[in-house]
Amino acid sequence: MATAFRILLLLITFSDSLVSTLGHGIGINYGQIANNLPPPSHVVDLLKSLNLSRVKLYDADPNVLAAFANSNVEFIIGLGNEYLQKMTDPAEAQTWIRQHVQPYISQTKITCITVGNEILTSNDAQMMSNLLPAMQTMYNSLSNLGLSKEVYVTTAHSIGILGNSFPPSAGAFRQDLANYIQRILDFHSQTGSPFLINAYPFFAYKDNPGHVSLEYVLFEPNPGMRDPGTNLNYDNMLYAQIDAVYTAIKAMGHTDIQVKVSETGWPSKGDPNEVGASTDNARLYNTNMLNRIQQHQGTPAKPSVAVDIYVFALFNENLKPGPSSERNYGLYYPNGTLVYDIGSASASATATASASASASASVSPSQGYLPLPQMDYSASKKNVISFFNVLLLPVAFLVCAL
């Protein structure tokens, strides 16, 4: 055991050139549609050691919430689409909060409930009609229980709710969704909650690689695209999409609602027809995006408003339906090894060193997991760290604890 620990320390000593600058404004989506993921108790120890501050769930898994007690990690918890109709009933909503929020909130920081996911693009008329009433009922129930100032209520939308996304100054919501969105925006304005979007430039590139610049979607150097309405230049698609949403919201009479990105990422693998799905592109997208956010830049139209993003996702999830890409958005494999290196100039060197450390320390998937790189911190902090050091220190901690 002592030998293994010394090996890890030596790796740390020789890792000074692998510096990654990661910053605030980043959270991580912790999906669990898989049968081979590490238990929450393993995940919490590792993420706590990295001072991770924000995690988004798609449910209110009691095992996760209990495991993260006293961790100072802030959670967004989710109310599944299948519960919307039931949650329009005040008694049901209050019962749900009593069961899924109140038992944990004194020790686990629950700051938000997302009511449904991408409902307005589901083509389910019943769910679309139930969405706002369910949000209102959840908010009122939180108020009745004295929790509405601690926990805000929102929902996550696909970027597909936009009828026009470029140029950003002409951003507009789909006309067939206007009545739903107008009332949802009024709710956000009244309650002070943000408007969440799931935005994936990957899809735009995959569907039209001949006309969409890969450099533009990957935050790589490129001349950008100029918005003729504002004369602002956009050098990446994600920021253009965010500003298009702001424009669409403003067109509906609101300038007091913040837009946050509840999901964005890039798959490391896909089917043959999923152009652009690769390890290299996933690494470039996430690394470049994180570096951009670390610079504390807003979007061209909102330069003073920090970009707020939750990366999708923590792990690859082997039971997700759909094309291969759906199962390959994770930063980590379920056994705890990195899918690719984020924030390092030498992915192969890090991968080799990590593999050597794991082999020397004999850390099996049932005993310990390699940690997530430092993806998110409180908004008041800015950290310049060695990615590789952060990668290995918690491994050393786990090895010694075994």
mmCIF file of all heavy atoms in Angstrom, residues 223-241:
data_model
loop_
_atom_site.group_PDB
_atom_site.id
_atom_site.type_symbol
_atom_site.label_atom_id
_atom_site.label_comp_id
_atom_site.label_asym_id
_atom_site.label_seq_id
_atom_site.Cartn_x
_atom_site.Cartn_y
_atom_site.Cartn_z
ATOM 1 N N PRO A 223 -13.281 32.478 -37.876
ATOM 2 C CA PRO A 223 -13.658 33.884 -38.061
ATOM 3 C C PRO A 223 -15.001 34.240 -37.462
ATOM 4 O O PRO A 223 -15.299 35.421 -37.264
ATOM 5 C CB PRO A 223 -13.666 34.050 -39.589
ATOM 6 C CG PRO A 223 -13.878 32.663 -40.115
ATOM 7 C CD PRO A 223 -13.162 31.763 -39.153
ATOM 8 N N GLY A 224 -15.808 33.244 -37.145
ATOM 9 C CA GLY A 224 -17.103 33.512 -36.539
ATOM 10 C C GLY A 224 -18.160 33.948 -37.541
ATOM 11 O O GLY A 224 -17.924 33.994 -38.755
ATOM 12 N N MET A 225 -19.305 34.283 -37.008
ATOM 13 C CA MET A 225 -20.436 34.735 -37.813
ATOM 14 C C MET A 225 -20.955 36.042 -37.238
ATOM 15 O O MET A 225 -21.172 36.143 -36.032
ATOM 16 C CB MET A 225 -21.548 33.677 -37.823
ATOM 17 C CG MET A 225 -21.132 32.359 -38.437
ATOM 18 S SD MET A 225 -22.518 31.206 -38.576
ATOM 19 C CE MET A 225 -21.685 29.783 -39.289
ATOM 20 N N ARG A 226 -21.159 37.008 -38.097
ATOM 21 C CA ARG A 226 -21.598 38.328 -37.660
ATOM 22 C C ARG A 226 -23.122 38.422 -37.728
ATOM 23 O O ARG A 226 -23.738 38.026 -38.706
ATOM 24 C CB ARG A 226 -20.966 39.430 -38.509
ATOM 25 C CG ARG A 226 -21.205 40.841 -37.957
ATOM 26 C CD ARG A 226 -20.213 41.822 -38.525
ATOM 27 N NE ARG A 226 -18.839 41.486 -38.148
ATOM 28 C CZ ARG A 226 -18.296 41.800 -36.982
ATOM 29 N NH1 ARG A 226 -19.013 42.452 -36.067
ATOM 30 N NH2 ARG A 226 -17.050 41.478 -36.710
ATOM 31 N N ASP A 227 -23.695 38.927 -36.647
ATOM 32 C CA ASP A 227 -25.140 39.150 -36.589
ATOM 33 C C ASP A 227 -25.424 40.490 -37.265
ATOM 34 O O ASP A 227 -25.023 41.543 -36.765
ATOM 35 C CB ASP A 227 -25.589 39.179 -35.124
ATOM 36 C CG ASP A 227 -27.096 39.281 -34.971
ATOM 37 O OD1 ASP A 227 -27.746 39.912 -35.822
ATOM 38 O OD2 ASP A 227 -27.620 38.740 -33.973
ATOM 39 N N PRO A 228 -26.129 40.487 -38.403
ATOM 40 C CA PRO A 228 -26.371 41.749 -39.109
ATOM 41 C C PRO A 228 -27.276 42.699 -38.339
ATOM 42 O O PRO A 228 -27.265 43.913 -38.592
ATOM 43 C CB PRO A 228 -27.026 41.299 -40.420
ATOM 44 C CG PRO A 228 -27.628 39.965 -40.105
ATOM 45 C CD PRO A 228 -26.718 39.337 -39.108
ATOM 46 N N GLY A 229 -28.035 42.181 -37.396
ATOM 47 C CA GLY A 229 -28.932 43.035 -36.631
ATOM 48 C C GLY A 229 -28.253 43.827 -35.537
ATOM 49 O O GLY A 229 -28.698 44.917 -35.160
ATOM 50 N N THR A 230 -27.156 43.279 -34.998
ATOM 51 C CA THR A 230 -26.457 43.940 -33.887
ATOM 52 C C THR A 230 -24.994 44.230 -34.205
ATOM 53 O O THR A 230 -24.326 44.923 -33.438
ATOM 54 C CB THR A 230 -26.493 43.039 -32.642
ATOM 55 O OG1 THR A 230 -25.840 41.794 -32.963
ATOM 56 C CG2 THR A 230 -27.925 42.770 -32.200
ATOM 57 N N ASN A 231 -24.499 43.672 -35.276
ATOM 58 C CA ASN A 231 -23.088 43.759 -35.666
ATOM 59 C C ASN A 231 -22.170 43.046 -34.681
ATOM 60 O O ASN A 231 -20.959 43.273 -34.673
ATOM 61 C CB ASN A 231 -22.633 45.215 -35.836
ATOM 62 C CG ASN A 231 -21.482 45.347 -36.820
ATOM 63 O OD1 ASN A 231 -21.410 44.605 -37.805
ATOM 64 N ND2 ASN A 231 -20.568 46.263 -36.551
ATOM 65 N N LEU A 232 -22.736 42.188 -33.850
ATOM 66 C CA LEU A 232 -21.938 41.398 -32.921
ATOM 67 C C LEU A 232 -21.409 40.153 -33.618
ATOM 68 O O LEU A 232 -22.100 39.557 -34.454
ATOM 69 C CB LEU A 232 -22.776 40.987 -31.706
ATOM 70 C CG LEU A 232 -23.255 42.113 -30.790
ATOM 71 C CD1 LEU A 232 -24.237 41.574 -29.749
ATOM 72 C CD2 LEU A 232 -22.075 42.794 -30.107
ATOM 73 N N ASN A 233 -20.186 39.757 -33.268
ATOM 74 C CA ASN A 233 -19.582 38.581 -33.878
ATOM 75 C C ASN A 233 -19.662 37.396 -32.916
ATOM 76 O O ASN A 233 -19.367 37.513 -31.731
ATOM 77 C CB ASN A 233 -18.114 38.836 -34.238
ATOM 78 C CG ASN A 233 -17.568 37.763 -35.146
ATOM 79 O OD1 ASN A 233 -17.989 37.627 -36.295
ATOM 80 N ND2 ASN A 233 -16.619 36.977 -34.649
ATOM 81 N N TYR A 234 -20.066 36.247 -33.431
ATOM 82 C CA TYR A 234 -20.173 35.017 -32.649
ATOM 83 C C TYR A 234 -19.163 34.007 -33.160
ATOM 84 O O TYR A 234 -19.191 33.638 -34.339
ATOM 85 C CB TYR A 234 -21.594 34.443 -32.745
ATOM 86 C CG TYR A 234 -22.611 35.263 -31.998
ATOM 87 C CD1 TYR A 234 -23.194 36.393 -32.572
ATOM 88 C CD2 TYR A 234 -22.966 34.935 -30.697
ATOM 89 C CE1 TYR A 234 -24.111 37.166 -31.874
ATOM 90 C CE2 TYR A 234 -23.890 35.693 -29.986
ATOM 91 C CZ TYR A 234 -24.450 36.804 -30.579
ATOM 92 O OH TYR A 234 -25.355 37.561 -29.882
ATOM 93 N N ASP A 235 -18.276 33.563 -32.281
ATOM 94 C CA ASP A 235 -17.270 32.594 -32.696
ATOM 95 C C ASP A 235 -17.583 31.181 -32.218
ATOM 96 O O ASP A 235 -16.766 30.276 -32.337
ATOM 97 C CB ASP A 235 -15.887 33.007 -32.222
ATOM 98 C CG ASP A 235 -15.748 33.032 -30.708
ATOM 99 O OD1 ASP A 235 -16.747 32.731 -30.011
ATOM 100 O OD2 ASP A 235 -14.645 33.344 -30.206
ATOM 101 N N ASN A 236 -18.791 30.983 -31.656
ATOM 102 C CA ASN A 236 -19.230 29.637 -31.301
ATOM 103 C C ASN A 236 -20.747 29.568 -31.305
ATOM 104 O O ASN A 236 -21.434 30.563 -31.068
ATOM 105 C CB ASN A 236 -18.662 29.209 -29.944
ATOM 106 C CG ASN A 236 -19.291 29.944 -28.784
ATOM 107 O OD1 ASN A 236 -20.335 29.539 -28.273
ATOM 108 N ND2 ASN A 236 -18.682 31.046 -28.358
ATOM 109 N N MET A 237 -21.259 28.401 -31.594
ATOM 110 C CA MET A 237 -22.700 28.231 -31.742
ATOM 111 C C MET A 237 -23.440 28.298 -30.411
ATOM 112 O O MET A 237 -24.546 28.839 -30.338
ATOM 113 C CB MET A 237 -23.019 26.904 -32.435
ATOM 114 C CG MET A 237 -24.517 26.668 -32.629
ATOM 115 S SD MET A 237 -24.902 25.155 -33.524
ATOM 116 C CE MET A 237 -24.455 25.642 -35.191
ATOM 117 N N LEU A 238 -22.852 27.759 -29.347
ATOM 118 C CA LEU A 238 -23.569 27.714 -28.075
ATOM 119 C C LEU A 238 -23.954 29.115 -27.608
ATOM 120 O O LEU A 238 -25.092 29.343 -27.194
ATOM 121 C CB LEU A 238 -22.724 27.017 -27.008
ATOM 122 C CG LEU A 238 -23.394 26.877 -25.643
ATOM 123 C CD1 LEU A 238 -24.635 25.990 -25.733
ATOM 124 C CD2 LEU A 238 -22.418 26.313 -24.607
ATOM 125 N N TYR A 239 -23.014 30.054 -27.668
ATOM 126 C CA TYR A 239 -23.318 31.404 -27.221
ATOM 127 C C TYR A 239 -24.341 32.076 -28.134
ATOM 128 O O TYR A 239 -25.160 32.882 -27.666
ATOM 129 C CB TYR A 239 -22.033 32.231 -27.140
ATOM 130 C CG TYR A 239 -21.178 31.915 -25.925
ATOM 131 C CD1 TYR A 239 -21.362 30.753 -25.184
ATOM 132 C CD2 TYR A 239 -20.168 32.782 -25.531
ATOM 133 C CE1 TYR A 239 -20.577 30.465 -24.083
ATOM 134 C CE2 TYR A 239 -19.372 32.505 -24.420
ATOM 135 C CZ TYR A 239 -19.582 31.342 -23.703
ATOM 136 O OH TYR A 239 -18.801 31.053 -22.610
ATOM 137 N N ALA A 240 -24.305 31.754 -29.412
ATOM 138 C CA ALA A 240 -25.319 32.276 -30.327
ATOM 139 C C ALA A 240 -26.695 31.736 -29.952
ATOM 140 O O ALA A 240 -27.696 32.469 -29.990
ATOM 141 C CB ALA A 240 -24.964 31.902 -31.763
ATOM 142 N N GLN A 241 -26.762 30.468 -29.574
ATOM 143 C CA GLN A 241 -28.044 29.881 -29.175
ATOM 144 C C GLN A 241 -28.571 30.529 -27.889
ATOM 145 O O GLN A 241 -29.774 30.809 -27.770
ATOM 146 C CB GLN A 241 -27.888 28.369 -28.989
ATOM 147 C CG GLN A 241 -27.650 27.615 -30.284
ATOM 148 C CD GLN A 241 -27.410 26.131 -30.063
ATOM 149 O OE1 GLN A 241 -26.855 25.715 -29.032
ATOM 150 N NE2 GLN A 241 -27.803 25.312 -31.019
#
